[in-house]
Amino acid sequence: MKSFRHRLLLLLGLILLGLPVMMAAKKSPTTRVVWNEKQNKRTGLYTTNNYFISNGVSVNLNAMYYFGDVDNEGMAFSGGFNSDNLSYGGSIVLGNHMPISRHCNMRYTLMVGTLNGNNKAKFDRLAEPRDDYRKFQSVLLQPAVGVECYPFSNAGFYVYGGLALTMSFITNYEFYYYARHEGTSQKTREVVRGKTFGFLPMVQVGIGYTWKLVEQWTIGVEIMLQEGLVDTKYMNLDGWPMAASQNSAGVDLGTSFGTYVNRYGKKDIHWNDGWFQVGITIGYHWRNCERCRILNNYQNIRGRRR
């Protein structure tokens, strides 16, 4: 199930990344950016098929909700919403937008943000409370590249797909676990604390809507899922699974295959690390507007000559 989900997300990301390439291949280089012969009713300008297909820069402010090993032992939101997984600092994303077809922009982004998770409150609410809980806080740095496609003419709705590499600098972790003593059935509760790091290749899938404020400024909202493609030692967001070299206690926690044994000796399938994000985007565009002014002047001159 987990393998199928990862393949589906990866396939969707590749399709969205390849879509503009296929669309651009159908056009000659001289007609890649096509300008309308009639004025846009909303702006009065001679624009491309969509105002939002243009060079630009943007800033995103996001709230983020973590899911992964430190949260649960199943799919996201198992056990309900956990406010301890909400990053109140969220993230700031700087983006550069470049048109590549009449309906698509390439988006290159750099994100910095915070992420945290804690399943203690969730375990305390269980019918049989558990005390082998985990928590962490980290600072993220993420470069990403993706494609935003606007399927409708002169409309701000878009879909987004991208690939990213996320570096997680885990500033604090606290993992409780049960250690077995060789030759006996005795188990003792242990804990490792400290800081470590991880990096993770991720796939991004999102939808959004953008509104024009004034001639070159826009505002939008965006909802996105970001999920890791693997979950191994050193390649995660939350430090779990953890190699012995990452903690002073010298113990391995979790396994490379996405399962671990909890205090009841039960192995549980889990989701790879990731997060949901909801954010506001402020954008500044210049390519369309400059060329629109030129075309408007040209059309006005032609009109006066007639």
Side-chain angles (χ1 to χ4, degrees), residues 14-78:
L14 293 175
I15 290 174
L16 290 173
L17 286 171
L19 180 61
V21 177
M22 293 185 289
M23 295 175 66
K26 297 180 180 179
K27 302 177 176 65
S28 64
T30 58
T31 61
R32 188 177 64 174
V33 178
V34 180
W35 300 89
N36 292 337
E37 296 180 358
K38 297 182 180 181
Q39 287 179 302
N40 186 302
K41 294 180 180 179
R42 183 174 58 178
T43 64
L45 301 176
Y46 295 85
T47 66
T48 60
N49 194 50
N50 193 314
Y51 167 82
F52 304 103
I53 304 302
S54 64
N55 283 333
V57 293
S58 63
V59 177
N60 292 49
L61 303 176
N62 297 309
M64 302 161 61
Y65 184 89
Y66 157 84
F67 59 83
D69 302 313
V70 171
D71 172 51
N72 56 59
E73 298 173 351
M75 58 191 304
F77 295 110
S78 63

Side-chain angles (χ1 to χ4, degrees), residues 26 42 56 69 84 98 108 157 169 195 225 229 233 235 243 249 257 290:
K26 297 180 180 179
R42 183 174 58 178
D69 302 313
D84 290 329
M98 298 174 55
Y108 303 91
F157 173 78
F169 302 93
K195 58 184 179 180
L225 163 68
L229 296 176
K233 299 168 184 177
M235 297 184 70
F257 302 100
E290 293 298 324

Side-chain angles (χ1 to χ4, degrees), residues 1-19 145-147 160-165 200-206 225-230 272:
M1 181 64 183
K2 184 178 68 173
S3 176
F4 173 76
R5 183 182 66 253
H6 294 162
R7 292 175 184 174
L8 181 61
L9 287 172
L10 181 58
L11 178 61
L12 179 58
L14 293 175
I15 290 174
L16 290 173
L17 286 171
L19 180 61
V145 58
V147 178
Y160 173 83
L163 298 173
L165 179 64
L200 188 62
M202 304 186 73
V203 62
Q204 305 172 312
V205 180
L225 163 68
Q226 299 208 40
E227 183 169 3
L229 296 176
V230 295
N272 286 2

Side-chain angles (χ1 to χ4, degrees), residues 158-183:
Y158 65 89
V159 294
Y160 173 83
L163 298 173
L165 179 64
T166 305
M167 287 156 278
S168 179
F169 302 93
I170 301 167
T171 57
N172 179 45
Y173 66 80
E174 187 172 311
F175 300 151
Y176 287 86
Y177 66 99
Y178 277 80
R180 295 180 181 274
H181 297 274
E182 293 185 9

Side-chain angles (χ1 to χ4, degrees), residues 101 131 137 151 153 236 261 272 299:
S101 76
D131 57 4
Q137 296 88 36
S153 299
N236 54 60
V261 178
N272 286 2
Q299 294 291 346

